[in-house]
Amino acid sequence: MAREYKTRISQAIEAFATERQDRGFCAADVSVYLDENGIDANTTTVYRNLDRMVTQDKLIKYQSADGSSSMYRMEKADHSCHEHLHMQCVKCGRVIHIDRDTMNHIAKGVQERYGFMIDCDRSSICGICKDCQRRCGVPVV
């Protein structure tokens, strides 16, 4: 088994991702974090490290709600993120895992009504989380 080589940059990126376990982030967020922590890394290095973490099943890569950039989020320790949808707050970036029963209900309804199979790896439902709704004065149901 090959030994994993960890650089200062890769360790910092992993620390950043771990700190944001319930939030989605993009490469630019990582670059800002590295810069703020005095770590010099070019964009290519950031993307290379993020892609490596994706292939190691540490991160999940998906498209932003507007399709303009790649986003990343931590993979759950039990690797079940591939089996359910996620909701993402467009205000704060928080990622909420939809429980399996709710996910199965949604997937079955979509399949029966539209003949469409949901790809959980690339799908997120975008909206505003209850904390951001409260901050904006929106009544939370």
Side-chain angles (χ1 to χ4, degrees):
M1 185 169 154
R3 185 169 175 249
E4 186 177 333
Y5 180 70
K6 292 208 176 218
T7 64
R8 182 174 178 222
I9 294 170
S10 66
Q11 289 173 334
I13 293 172
E14 196 161 329
F16 171 81
T18 301
E19 289 172 14
R20 294 184 53 98
Q21 276 192 13
D22 64 344
R23 303 271 189 261
F25 58 90
C26 64
D29 297 327
V30 175
S31 292
V32 168
Y33 172 84
L34 293 173
D35 193 44
E36 289 173 348
N37 286 280
I39 300 170
D40 187 30
N42 64 40
T43 305
T44 303
T45 300
V46 171
Y47 276 109
R48 187 175 58 247
N49 277 276
L50 291 171
D51 287 341
R52 184 179 314 121
M53 290 177 72
V54 169
T55 60
Q56 294 171 339
D57 291 329
K58 293 179 180 180
L59 294 178
I60 293 175
K61 182 178 180 178
Y62 60 100
Q63 284 299 115
S64 62
D66 64 5
S68 65
S69 65
S70 293
M71 299 291 292
Y72 302 87
R73 68 174 173 263
M74 288 292 290
E75 166 70 275
K76 288 177 69 176
D78 63 4
H79 299 290
S80 65
C81 280
H82 300 287
E83 301 168 6
H84 62 257
L85 285 173
H86 299 87
M87 296 178 287
Q88 183 170 7
C89 180
V90 296
K91 296 272 187 197
C92 70
R94 180 176 178 209
V95 175
I96 302 164
H97 301 267
I98 297 177
D99 67 81
R100 195 164 295 188
D101 290 339
T102 302
M103 172 57 214
N104 289 339
H105 178 74
I106 293 168
K108 183 179 178 189
V110 168
Q111 179 70 36
E112 288 174 356
R113 176 140 185 170
Y114 303 102
F116 189 84
M117 187 184 320
I118 297 172
D119 179 351
C120 295
D121 285 345
R122 297 185 198 136
S123 301
S124 288
I125 298 171
C126 296
I128 302 173
C129 72
K130 63 183 174 185
D131 293 338
C132 288
Q133 289 175 48
R134 283 189 189 109
R135 280 192 284 275
C136 295
V138 175
V140 179
V141 182

